[in-house]
């Protein structure tokens, strides 16, 4: 889904302007705690807040001094084609400045806001100043085929070489028949260059049908041939459309990915509503899936009631395709998306330890599902989103819920602490997907959603970083919870890890009712490693109440540990280095032999 901008205001002086902008365009207002009376979300530190939004790909409209926004985003600047827009608006609303993302919507947004506020849009982008448009940002419903040539073309225009428009004048600029730079607007495939920018109106929908497991490369070759034979540019395709039962077909998704457009799906009933417009209705198809045509029906359904078939159903062994043309460029997509579940780990808690990819997936999600505390830790990224909070112990319920919500076509994020694949919800999601509906799995529709997994900083990694380098040699992790794992299995693994002399990270070390396994683990380990083996206890990592301390293995007390504590037990070689800021734990890997000149052994 498109990420909506957020209006950030830091004082009461700019509060009214912020709410005028937000009300007009349907945005949220985020305000500084204690300095703003009304907002959808509040924050304490402006620099951290803006930086978090920006890193997650959220456009920011700051009603504040430009310098504040610049200092906030400077450490995370990357590339102008991927960064979100950042705009500065003066507290009195008299000036609007697009600071970043001029060709990703910032200039357009600045003009719209300036019009609302009767202000001045201080646009400095060369193209906008010289000819009033950004050539690499065509109007909605059009795409540029050779964006890499836009810079050369703009340089020529700025040098006074003139512009010639061929086809529709989508920018509304004066055409010079002798212009050295051509702007070509066409539905046909045309080779572009630094002197010829090519734009395609996205009036076409590609309808696809396929057999189960159709070869993606063969299907793509089929699509390319069909487009070429019809004289239709790939850039003129607005979306790929199909029956919802085909939403998880790799051939469908790969075709949409290569075209750079969304895949939209329809129910059989929705496609059957197009039966009267089909050129090739099929009773065989109706008997199989409940509609008289997939590719033709999907193309027409997605292109709209005024669309016409320009390519009737074409067929190869495993796939069919058809193409419909709408009278105008398609800017709103009919049907629904396949649905996506992002299984994300947000790290131990602090925003600085959350990966940019996770932040982006969360910002794109329509709904957040998870343990309430973990969603709360997302701070500004959770503001305004529909959320489904589940208690501890409700892991299966939350995974089922997230999958079924995604099955309805929603973009859902399942929020976990640490890394979602380490003692978290990732494995349970796939376990449910591995079961049929009649085997206590999830619905058929849930089996067709896109599942995206993104790595997070695990509690193990966070604790190790705070300690120093305790994982410098072989290590393992063991959960001491016997709710899902038989106690005998836990004890067997403890003994094997103790005999193997692994550094061990204990997850779920204790609970209110489970207090004995950690003590048993300590006693087992003491049979195989020294009593003074260092143990690190790290509680509430990455949060204000973080508490790190070290103990000897023989002095490890269960009452000092809770469910928010990671226990790191060193191997027989682990030790504490005494530094100015205190002890740091590390496990040598064998470099000492090289340092001491003993190269007889292998490191």
């Amino acid at each position: 889904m498109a990420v909506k901008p957020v209006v950030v205001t830091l004082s009461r002086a700019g509060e009214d302007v912020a709410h005028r902008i937000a009300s007009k365009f349907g945005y949220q207002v985020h305000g500084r705690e204690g300095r703003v009376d009304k907002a959808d979300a509040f924050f304490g530190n402006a620099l951290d807040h803006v930086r978090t939004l920006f890193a997650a790909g959220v456009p920011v409209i700051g009603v504040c001094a430009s310098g504040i926004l610049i200092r906030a985003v400077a450490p995370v600047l990357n590339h102008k084609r991927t960064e979100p827009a950042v705009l500065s608006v003066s507290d009195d609303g008299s000036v609007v400045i697009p600071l970043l993302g001029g060709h990703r919507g910032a200039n357009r947004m600045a003009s719209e806001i300036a019009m609302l506020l009767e202000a001045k849009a201080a646009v400095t982008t060369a193209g906008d100043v010289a000819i009033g448009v950004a050539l690499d940002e065509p109007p909605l419903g059009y795409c540029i085929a050779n964006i890499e040539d836009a810079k050369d073309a703009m340089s020529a225009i700025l040098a006074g070489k003139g512009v010639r428009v061929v086809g529709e004048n989508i920018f509304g600029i004066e055409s010079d028949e002798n212009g050295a730079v051509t702007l070509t607007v066409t539905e046909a495939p045309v080779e572009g260059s630094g002197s010829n920018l090519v734009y395609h109106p996205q009036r076409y929908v590609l309808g696809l049908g396929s057999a189960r497991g159709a070869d993606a490369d063969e299907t793509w070759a089929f699509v390319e041939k069909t487009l070429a034979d019809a004289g239709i540019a790939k850039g003129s395709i607005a979306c790929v459309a199909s029956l919802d039962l085909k939403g998880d077909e790799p051939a469908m998704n790969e075709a949409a990915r290569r075209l750079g457009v969304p895949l939209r799906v329809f129910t059989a009933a929705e496609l059957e509503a197009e039966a009267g417009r089909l050129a090739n209705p099929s009773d065989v198809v109706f008997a199989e899936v409940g509609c008289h045509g997939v590719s033709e029906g999907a193309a027409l359904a997605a292109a709209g009631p005024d669309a016409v078939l320009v390519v009737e159903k074409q067929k190869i062994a495993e796939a069919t395709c058809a193409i419909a043309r709408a009278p105008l460029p398609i800017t709103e997509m009919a049907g629904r998306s396949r649905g996506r579940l992002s299984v994300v780990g947000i790290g131990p808690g602090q925003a600085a330890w959350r990966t940019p990819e996770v932040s982006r997936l969360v910002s794109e999600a329509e709904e957040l599902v998870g343990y309430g505390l973990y969603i709360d830790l997302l701070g500004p990224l959770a503001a305004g989103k529909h959320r489904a909070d589940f208690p501890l112990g409700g892991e299966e319920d939350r995974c089922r819920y997230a999958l079924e919500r995604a099955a309805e076509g929603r973009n859902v994020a399942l929020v976990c602490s640490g890394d979602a694949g380490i003692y978290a919800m990732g494995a349970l999601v796939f376990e449910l997907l591995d079961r049929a509906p009649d085997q206590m799995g999830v619905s058929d529709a849930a089996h067709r959603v896109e599942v995206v997994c993104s790595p997070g900083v695990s509690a193990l990694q966070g604790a190790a970083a705070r300690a120093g380098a305790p994982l410098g040699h072989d290590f393992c992790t063991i959960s001491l919870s016997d709710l899902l794992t038989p106690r005998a299995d836990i004890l067997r693994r403890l003994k094997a890890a103790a005999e193997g002399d692994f550094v061990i990270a204990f997850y779920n070390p204790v609970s209110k009712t489970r207090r004995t396994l950690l003590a048993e683990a300590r006693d087992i380990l003491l049979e195989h490693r020294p009593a003074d083996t260092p143990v690190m206890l790290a509680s509430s990592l990455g949060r204000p109440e973080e508490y790190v301390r070290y103990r000897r293995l023989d002095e490890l007390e269960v009452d000092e540990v809770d469910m928010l504590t990671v226990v790191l037990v060193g191997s027989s070689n682990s030790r504490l280095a005494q530094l100015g800021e205190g002890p740091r734990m590390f496990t040598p890997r064998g470099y000492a032999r090289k340092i001491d000149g003993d190269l007889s052994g292998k490191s």
Side-chain angles (χ1 to χ4, degrees), residues 45 69 101 120 179-180 186 239 280 326 334 567 586:
N45 185 292
L69 300 175
K120 173 68 175 178
T186 177
C239 69
N280 299 279
V567 180
F586 71 102

Side-chain angles (χ1 to χ4, degrees), residues 157 201 265 497 596:
I157 293 171
V265 296
D596 297 335

Side-chain angles (χ1 to χ4, degrees), residues 509-526:
V510 298
S511 69
K512 290 181 179 179
T513 59
R514 178 173 42 79
R515 312 291 297 176
T516 61
L517 264 173
L518 180 60
E520 289 183 64
R522 175 198 61 205
D523 295 341
I524 290 171
L525 291 173
L526 283 170

Side-chain angles (χ1 to χ4, degrees), residues 392 483 508-516 558-559 561-563:
L392 286 175
L483 292 176
N508 308 309
V510 298
S511 69
K512 290 181 179 179
T513 59
R514 178 173 42 79
R515 312 291 297 176
T516 61
V558 174
D559 289 343
V561 179
D562 59 24
M563 280 293 288

Side-chain angles (χ1 to χ4, degrees), residues 1 3 55-57 340-345 355-368 381 385 411-415 450-455:
M1 64 177 290
V3 179
R340 182 171 77 179
L341 176 62
S342 298
V343 186
V344 299
T355 68
E357 181 178 84
V358 165
S359 293
R360 176 180 58 79
L361 291 171
V362 168
S363 69
E364 292 174 353
E366 301 166 75
E367 182 170 358
L368 306 178
L381 296 187
K385 291 187 181 293
N411 187 335
V412 179
L414 180 60
V415 180
E450 177 188 11
V451 179
V452 177
C453 298
S454 188

Side-chain angles (χ1 to χ4, degrees), residues 131-148:
I131 60 175
V133 297
L135 295 181
D136 56 358
E137 188 186 7
L140 189 64
Y142 296 81
C143 76
I144 180 171
N146 55 323
I147 192 171
E148 67 280 359

Side-chain angles (χ1 to χ4, degrees), residues 82-262:
T82 60
E83 293 163 347
V86 177
L87 293 83
S88 173
V89 182
S90 59
D91 282 344
D92 62 1
S94 62
V95 180
V96 184
I97 307 172
L99 298 173
L100 288 172
H103 293 182
R104 285 178 56 81
N107 290 347
R108 174 184 49 78
M109 292 165 60
S111 298
E112 292 172 347
I113 293 171
M115 185 176 297
L116 168 70
L117 301 177
E118 298 180 350
K120 173 68 175 178
V123 177
T124 59
T125 307
D128 294 72
V129 173
I131 60 175
V133 297
L135 295 181
D136 56 358
E137 188 186 7
L140 189 64
Y142 296 81
C143 76
I144 180 171
N146 55 323
I147 192 171
E148 67 280 359
D149 293 322
K151 183 176 180 180
D152 290 342
M154 197 67 241
S155 297
I157 293 171
L158 293 175
K161 295 185 178 181
V163 183
R164 182 171 70 100
V165 178
V166 174
E168 185 182 359
N169 193 337
I170 60 176
F171 292 109
I173 60 178
E174 185 176 348
S175 178
D176 177 1
E177 287 303 313
N178 298 314
V181 175
T182 301
L183 306 184
T184 301
V185 181
T186 177
E187 298 173 357
V190 172
E191 189 72 26
S193 67
S195 60
N196 182 22
L197 297 184
V198 179
Y199 302 88
H200 298 303
Q202 296 179 303
R203 295 191 178 99
Y204 294 92
V205 172
L206 173 70
L208 274 181
S210 76
R212 178 58 65 180
D215 183 87
D217 289 332
E218 288 182 8
T219 302
W220 174 244
F222 172 46
V223 168
E224 286 191 302
K225 183 179 185 305
T226 302
L227 290 172
D229 290 346
I232 299 172
K234 295 174 184 175
S236 291
I237 301 296
C239 69
V240 174
S242 190
L243 179 67
D244 58 1
L245 297 179
K246 303 295 182 180
D248 62 337
E249 283 294 333
M252 303 277 181
N253 288 279
E254 183 64 13
R257 187 192 68 79
R258 295 189 190 188
L259 288 168
V261 298

